[in-house]
Amino acid sequence: PVCRYVSKTATSIHLDFDYDGPSMKTPVPGPRSQDLLKQLGDIQNVGAINFFCNYEESRGNYLVDVDNNRMLDLYTQISSIPIGYSHPALLKLMSNPSNMCSFFGSGEFNWLGKDNFISVDEKKSKAVLAVAPSGMTRVQTMACGSCSNENAYKAMFIWYRNKERGDKTPSNEDISTCMINKAPGCPDLSILSFMGGFHGRTLGCLATTHSKTIHKLDIPSFDWPIAPFPRLQYPLEEFTRENAKEEARCLEEAEDLIVKWRQKGKPVAGIVIEPIQAEGGDNHASPKFFRSLRNIARKHGCAFHVDEVQTGGGSTGKFWAHEHWGMDDPADIVSFSKKLLTGGYYHKDELQADKPYRIFNTWMGDPSKNLFLLEVLNVIRRENLLEEVTHSGKALLTGLYELQAQYPGILSRARGQGTFCAIDVCDDATRNSILLKARDKGVLLGGCGDCSIRFRPALIFKEYHAHLFLNIFSDVLAQFK
């Protein structure tokens, strides 16, 4: 019973579309989910499916499954639900007949442009440009995070080769050799990435993804450099000297790799990095680290690509996690997806592809998702959700600190920015058991890295929800004493 009081009760802030708490009817997956898993398993791989959802009944911070289990969702489809389930503003948007053409008329976008891609409220600017990162003047929409990064890499390679040529056009040799996958038409360029990073599962992205073996096993890859990402000690403020030394080591090795790959004849055209390594274990680095890395990119003529697929959209307390670095010119390219509902990348003018069809695919984003995004941005501003994230994130992280002090043999290294938080568990098996027991008590969490639990609630997650979760989580942990 004493575990119930690990966290105080916060005042419940009423949301018209939110439930008052979890409600569990069956273990998860329940009978209906198991039946559907069997049916779907006859035609495709269902190993990654945990249960089937009832989105009609899901509201606010709560996801309901087909067995009528109602769960407080702190994972949100890997950070992809920006303002909760069934938000009234989005339901109203869907009910507007004038928006219907965005859904049934959304074919290939880059060949036949759509006038409703232009912001509904501001005809002069596209919806996604309303939240453009500092120094970014252009945006290229895509369908998902992987294709966003894949095409951002292509943009960096095109920019680098055009910079090398100067005013010259591609030679006849460039044109002929590219068709048979040979240099100089297919140059030996590379992208520097970091151990623990995750940038997607397509072939180019996989060459820069270093989080789990299951992603990479049996897939051919490129000879591209991989730098160490700082392995910091937490809380950060208590280990400033040790962490500064670790970051200096990683920066030195990153710069050495750029030099070595140039000497190998495979110059680094770009550097890609996450502001917080998410899939790889919620690994943080200081603003100084990123500012120094940005300077290294400038020094060696490399494009600097910040992957904000998981961190973008407000969960760190700022719309972009790289805003915490305090830079006017943080990047040359910033990729996004998940909470922004569509995919794509922002970029400077000079990284615009020089010819049509060089950056191109079937969908090139989705005008209907831009309508959703514009309304999400309106809700974020109207409801001051970035401030809410800061408050609820502080409550969540404070509670995690208290729990790791209470269970030092189980939990360690609590860390976070806003509600983008994580904590380590003593081993992988215990971590996975905690996730399942929490789910059966009505809380959805996700794992990352070797033994971490990550927290990715929606932006409407309040301090009340943080305390509600912490008490349930404490009850789960009590089973492991």
Side-chain angles (χ1 to χ4, degrees), residues 35-329:
D35 182 54
L36 292 171
L37 278 167
K38 186 176 183 300
Q39 293 180 43
L40 187 60
D42 290 337
I43 60 173
Q44 72 177 58
N45 189 328
V46 295
I49 296 177
N50 291 285
F51 56 86
F52 285 80
C53 303
N54 180 349
Y55 288 111
E56 288 78 10
E57 295 298 322
S58 300
R59 297 207 299 266
N61 290 281
Y62 293 88
L63 181 61
V64 178
D65 72 3
V66 292
D67 290 284
N68 205 31
N69 294 303
R70 186 171 74 219
M71 293 162 275
L72 179 62
D73 191 357
L74 278 79
Y75 194 45
T76 60
Q77 324 279 319
I78 321 182
S79 198
S80 296
I81 309 296
I83 55 174
Y85 298 98
S86 303
H87 195 287
L90 298 186
L91 295 180
K92 182 179 179 181
L93 188 76
M94 285 283 292
S95 66
N96 186 342
S98 65
N99 293 331
M100 289 301 101
C101 63
S102 295
F103 297 91
F104 61 75
S106 297
E108 200 289 310
F109 177 71
N110 222 37
W111 188 50
L112 299 171
K114 282 118 178 131
D115 61 357
N116 63 358
F117 180 74
I118 305 300
S119 166
V120 173
D121 293 337
E122 299 172 304
K123 291 290 185 180
K124 294 181 180 179
S125 64
K126 299 175 183 177
V128 285
L129 283 180
V131 289
S134 176
M136 301 286 140
T137 55
R138 305 187 68 87
V139 64
Q140 179 62 70
T141 52
M142 289 287 167
C144 69
S146 290
C147 66
S148 300
N149 284 336
E150 193 84 12
N151 283 280
Y153 294 177
K154 289 166 58 181
M156 289 192 289
F157 288 137
I158 292 168
W159 163 80
Y160 193 89
R161 285 293 289 138
N162 283 337
K163 185 175 62 167
E164 286 187 325
R165 293 191 190 101
D167 295 331
K168 298 177 181 177
T169 59
S171 67
N172 290 334
E173 186 182 14
D174 289 333
I175 293 169
S176 62
T177 54
C178 76
M179 297 304 292
I180 55 172
N181 301 340
K182 301 291 185 182
C186 292
D188 282 331
L189 299 177
S190 63
I191 291 175
L192 175 75
S193 56
F194 289 81
M195 187 59 68
F198 180 88
H199 302 289
R201 294 176 174 87
T202 49
L203 279 175
C205 291
L206 269 180
T208 58
T209 287
H210 318 287
S211 55
K212 291 185 176 70
T213 57
I214 193 66
H215 304 318
K216 296 174 68 71
L217 185 64
D218 298 328
I219 310 300
S221 194
F222 303 110
D223 181 19
W224 291 356
I226 308 165
F229 191 87
R231 182 70 173 175
L232 302 186
Q233 299 182 56
Y234 302 91
L236 298 177
E237 60 272 15
E238 295 182 12
F239 296 95
T240 54
R241 181 179 299 177
E242 295 89 342
N243 290 341
K245 183 177 180 181
E246 168 68 358
E247 290 187 339
R249 178 188 70 84
C250 294
L251 288 166
E252 182 179 1
E253 186 159 343
E255 187 162 16
D256 285 346
L257 287 168
I258 293 172
V259 174
K260 289 177 182 177
W261 253 254
R262 183 184 297 119
Q263 293 171 345
K264 287 174 62 172
K266 300 181 179 183
V268 174
I271 298 173
V272 62
I273 197 166
E274 300 160 272
I276 302 171
Q277 285 190 336
E279 183 76 17
D282 269 39
N283 305 314
H284 291 247
S286 71
K288 182 180 179 181
F289 173 83
F290 291 105
R291 290 194 294 263
S292 298
L293 188 64
R294 176 67 168 124
N295 288 333
I296 289 172
R298 288 194 189 98
K299 175 181 175 181
H300 293 277
C302 312
F304 194 59
H305 173 185
V306 178
D307 179 351
E308 291 248 25
V309 166
Q310 192 161 147
T311 53
S315 59
T316 68
K318 294 184 181 293
F319 197 86
W320 300 108
H322 70 254
E323 292 180 62
H324 291 282
W325 305 346
M327 298 176 66
D328 293 330
D329 183 26

